[in-house]
Amino acid sequence: MKNLVVFGPPGCGKGTQSANIVKRYELVHLSTGDIIRKEINANSAMGDLLNKFVSHGVLVPDNIILKEVYRFGLDHLNSKGIVFDGFPRNLYQAQMLDRIFHKKSMRIGLVISIDVPEDVLMSRIIERGKTSGRSDDTIEVMKNRLMVYQSQTQPVIDYYKKCNRLVLIDGTKPVDKVFEEIELIINERLYR
Ligand code: AMP
């Protein structure tokens, strides 16, 4: 299996690029954000609970997320590979992912981190908020999301850097240019 993580701050284009990768390489897409939003939109008790975290821009507890990831992994053991989008979001999740994968003799072969400066992220999210209908696409919540990213998510970069699985790319370029770069990296690192 060709498993990879698409990593980066909110608004960097992870979702769009993950969808491009999935289509191009016939992989499956695991977006923890999408799973959470589906639950919230279903108006279930779990959805109400999840919304308390998401609408404040803080992370959903690890046990809830890991259960979803584990279930998704089991359901897709026969796929060509999984693109992780929005997961892992902290060091514990990254370590748990490696542990779960190790037990199944699987691994994350590549982590693509999409780099975009904060002022650009902020204006992208404000723009997206006009149509996305997401309670967390507002200036106030975005400030929190960026803080959470810096304090909890960014340390994951060092974790992957140490084991030589990380590639940084410039996410300020147009979407198709960013994807061209991603394709080159994936072809070189996963399909050579
Ligand atoms: P995203 O669509 O990836 O930007 O995620 C939207 C929100 O869902 C985040 O701000 C978190 O509240 C929550 N979320 C998504 N993925 C995770 C994760 N791996 N761990 C914890 N919370 C998450």
Side-chain angles (χ1 to χ4, degrees):
M1 278 173 85
K2 312 283 187 192
N3 303 298
L4 63 140
V5 172
V6 180
F7 194 85
C12 73
K14 292 190 295 293
T16 305
Q17 296 301 347
S18 297
N20 285 342
I21 296 168
V22 163
K23 204 166 151 207
R24 162 77 175 78
Y25 297 95
E26 300 175 340
L27 306 176
V28 291
H29 188 176
L30 169 52
S31 160
T32 42
D34 282 353
I35 292 175
I36 291 167
R37 277 185 291 280
K38 206 165 148 200
E39 196 65 49
I40 292 174
N41 292 335
N43 288 319
S44 61
M46 177 54 105
D48 288 347
L49 173 70
L50 293 173
N51 198 31
K52 290 194 170 68
F53 299 100
V54 174
S55 62
H56 289 95
V58 296
L59 295 185
V60 167
D62 291 330
N63 60 336
I64 299 178
I65 294 289
L66 284 163
K67 211 158 80 184
E68 292 297 337
V69 170
Y70 194 68
R71 187 184 307 166
F72 187 97
L74 285 182
D75 285 349
H76 295 88
L77 280 177
N78 295 322
S79 67
K80 291 185 180 173
I82 302 173
V83 177
F84 290 88
D85 160 14
F87 178 91
R89 268 299 216 284
N90 59 31
L91 217 43
Y92 179 70
Q93 292 182 6
Q95 287 163 344
M96 288 305 289
L97 179 60
D98 275 348
R99 201 172 298 171
I100 295 168
F101 264 21
H102 187 70
K103 281 190 190 149
K104 306 247 172 253
S105 303
M106 288 155 68
R107 71 184 295 268
I108 295 291
L110 174 66
V111 179
I112 296 172
S113 179
I114 307 178
D115 203 23
V116 176
E118 280 201 6
D119 56 331
V120 178
L121 295 171
M122 196 53 113
S123 45
R124 281 187 187 177
I125 292 293
I126 293 166
E127 198 49 40
R128 188 171 80 181
K130 291 178 186 164
T131 53
S132 71
R134 282 177 56 166
S135 63
D136 58 344
D137 280 349
T138 64
I139 297 178
E140 284 316 309
V141 181
M142 182 60 179
K143 281 184 188 158
N144 255 345
R145 291 166 72 194
L146 287 173
M147 252 167 15
V148 167
Y149 179 78
Q150 278 163 11
S151 59
Q152 298 181 51
T153 310
Q154 221 158 14
V156 177
I157 292 186
D158 288 331
Y159 176 78
Y160 285 121
K161 221 186 251 171
K162 273 185 207 142
C163 38
N164 203 23
R165 287 184 278 178
L166 185 85
V167 178
L168 290 177
I169 65 159
D170 175 3
T172 59
K173 294 182 186 162
V175 174
D176 51 339
K177 292 282 166 219
V178 174
F179 185 58
E180 272 173 26
E181 231 170 275
I182 289 178
E183 265 188 307
L184 286 176
I185 294 164
I186 292 181
N187 293 345
E188 162 86 21
R189 303 278 293 238
L190 295 182
Y191 287 89
R192 209 155 52 137

